[in-house]
């Protein structure tokens, strides 16, 4: 299965998976669907089963040393990767595995420079260790939990990278301002109605004072990061402006409706 366009995409993703059908809705929907339709992104799928061994096109085998389950073997994956290179050229190759480096916004940004990215999805109990070493440029995990395969990880990486490509998001500011871009969680946001279940939008946001709004957002982003993700602050310490802003008491009282606070009623 191939989802592509002919207009020179900014990034082409090549997914190596036993289950390409898992991506059917994903590649046709919303942001990614529009990016593919608009020619900014292309996604191809290659099934290692097509390169499997014997009548049953086997792609897995029992682990050396014993143990439960089956391991994806190297030759079908190597053949799949070779077929992709022959058909469409070289690419940056990523193996999805819970043993990889943890994928984050910085790694998404680092992948933005690649014009072709192959995402190799493991299944079963794992992938022959030589696949990562001999065939891939890096191994990535989408978090410290074990999934049944790399497909959801591949989808996460495709979406995180695609939305950073110029033109994929409607508004360039959305990327610059968002959570993690500067080691901060994003400031909280509200929309109408102005008061909902007795919770009012902070008055400063209705003031029309752009400087005050910017200061409020700087402070709330710093506050949120300090309270929820101190690990991010350890890597990106508070700046003088943020320290000042956090000390300040303004007319904007504690923001409404913080998750984790008591929620009366349904
Ligand atoms: N395959 C199984 N678990 C995974 C994870 N957490 N990240 C990437 N690929 C995986």
């Amino acid at each position: 299965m191939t989802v592509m366009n002919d207009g020179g995409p900014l990034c082409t993703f090549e997914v190596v998976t036993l289950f390409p059908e898992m991506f059917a809705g994903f590649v046709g929907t919303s942001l990614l669907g529009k990016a593919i339709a608009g020619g900014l992104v292309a996604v191809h799928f290659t099934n290692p089963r097509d390169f499997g061994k014997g009548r049953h096109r086997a792609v897995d085998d029992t682990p050396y040393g014993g143990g439960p389950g089956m391991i994806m073997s190297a030759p079908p994956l190597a053949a799949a990767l070779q077929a992709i290179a022959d058909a469409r050229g070289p690419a940056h190759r990523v193996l999805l595995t819970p043993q990889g480096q943890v994928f984050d916004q910085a790694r998404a940004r680092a992948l933005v420079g690649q014009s072709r990215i192959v995402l190799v999805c493991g299944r079963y109990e794992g992938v022959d260790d030589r696949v990562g070493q001999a065939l891939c440029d890096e191994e990535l995990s989408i978090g410290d939990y074990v999934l049944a395969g790399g497909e959801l990880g591949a989808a996460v990486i495709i979406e995180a990278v695609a939305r950073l490509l110029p033109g994929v998001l409607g508004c360039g500011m959305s990327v610059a301002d968002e959570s993690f871009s500067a080691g901060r969680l994003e400031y909280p946001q509200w929309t109408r109605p102005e008061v909902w279940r007795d919770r009012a939008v902070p008055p400063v946001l209705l003031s029309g004072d752009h400087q005050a709004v910017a200061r409020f957002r700087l402070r709330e982003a710093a506050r949120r990061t300090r309270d929820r993700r101190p690990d991010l602050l350890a890597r990106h310490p508070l700046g003088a402006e943020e320290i000042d802003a956090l000390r300040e008491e303004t007319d904007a009282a504690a923001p409404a409706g913080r998750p984790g606070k008591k929620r009366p009623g349904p």
Side-chain angles (χ1 to χ4, degrees), residues 17 46 49 104 108 120 226 255:
T17 171
T46 302
R49 180 80 60 199
D104 60 9
V120 181
R226 182 195 62 193

Side-chain angles (χ1 to χ4, degrees), residues 188-190 199 224 227-228 255-263:
Q189 307 225 57
W190 293 263
R199 292 158 189 251
R224 214 158 244 228
D227 294 350
R228 298 182 184 187
R258 290 211 202 135
K261 298 278 181 259
K262 191 172 153 244
R263 269 198 250 142

Side-chain angles (χ1 to χ4, degrees), residues 87-198:
R88 290 179 287 278
H92 182 76
R93 291 173 176 175
V94 177
L95 175 67
L96 279 301
T97 162
Q99 291 155 37
Q101 298 289 309
V102 176
F103 181 71
D104 60 9
Q105 193 65 20
R107 285 184 196 277
R109 278 195 297 269
L111 287 174
V112 166
Q114 302 288 346
S115 60
R116 293 177 39 74
I117 300 172
V118 177
L119 300 162
V120 181
C121 305
R123 274 273 149 180
Y124 311 124
E125 284 302 306
V127 175
D128 186 307
D129 206 55
R130 293 166 292 190
V131 170
Q133 287 171 15
L135 299 176
C136 296
D137 298 297
E138 61 178 329
E139 300 185 19
L140 292 177
S141 161
I142 59 158
D144 289 339
Y145 38 79
V146 180
L147 301 165
E151 283 75 9
L152 293 176
V156 164
I157 291 176
I158 291 171
E159 183 152 314
V161 173
R163 65 186 291 288
L164 295 179
L165 297 171
V168 169
L169 284 186
C171 165
M173 282 304 289
S174 317
V175 170
D177 260 9
E178 72 196 1
S179 290
F180 306 117
S181 272
R184 295 286 175 273
L185 298 183
E186 196 175 12
Y187 49 77
Q189 307 225 57
W190 293 263
T191 187
R192 276 183 276 271
E194 198 181 308
V195 179
W196 180 75
R197 295 192 178 183
D198 294 333

